[in-house]
């Protein structure tokens, strides 16, 4: 009788353990400084946060957003702008009849 009770108790414990809420394995949150220094990883995590914010977690997605903001707002030459565009050249001469008023 004791063996049967022990067997039933063990089975119930195993079933309950299997039904428990499992926490997805998450790696350590990558820091803002690391992401600012590694644009490829930042781009990858931005895509993951956009696709599934709940799975990535608020903390990691906030770090990604802050790293993106810091990279965009940092001083120095902008990686998005090239040489300034020169203004258009003035015409060599005014077209005929340009001075006449109707």
């Amino acid at each position: 009788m004791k063996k049967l009770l022990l067997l039933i108790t063990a089975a119930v414990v195993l079933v309950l353990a299997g039904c428990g809420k499992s926490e997805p394995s998450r790696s350590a949150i990558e820091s803002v400084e690391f992401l600012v220094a590694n644009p490829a990883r930042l781009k990858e995590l931005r895509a993951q946060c956009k696709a599934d914010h709940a799975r990535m977690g608020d903390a990691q997605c906030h770090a990604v957003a802050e790293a993106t903001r810091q990279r965009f707002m940092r001083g120095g030459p902008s990686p998005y702008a090239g040489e300034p565009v020169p203004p258009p050249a003035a015409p060599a001469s005014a077209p005929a009849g340009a001075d006449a008023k109707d």
Side-chain angles (χ1 to χ4, degrees):
M1 184 70 179
K2 285 186 177 181
K3 286 185 178 183
L4 181 61
L5 183 62
L6 183 63
L7 184 61
I8 292 173
T9 304
V12 169
V13 168
L14 288 175
V15 168
L16 290 177
C19 294
K21 195 174 188 181
S22 63
E23 182 68 28
S25 62
R26 292 185 184 172
S27 61
I29 294 173
E30 296 180 30
S31 70
V32 173
E33 294 79 19
F34 174 79
L35 294 172
V36 168
N38 296 296
R41 182 66 178 151
L42 176 61
K43 183 178 179 181
E44 179 183 328
L45 287 177
R46 279 178 52 201
Q48 290 177 8
C49 282
K50 185 177 180 181
D52 194 0
H53 185 92
R55 185 181 64 83
M56 293 299 293
D58 282 339
Q60 182 65 68
C61 290
H62 287 303
V64 167
E66 178 61 20
T68 302
R69 187 195 67 78
Q70 285 184 15
R71 284 185 51 83
F72 184 77
M73 298 301 288
R74 70 179 173 205
S78 172
Y80 304 107
E83 294 295 317
V85 177
S93 64
D99 292 336
K101 295 193 178 196
D102 291 326

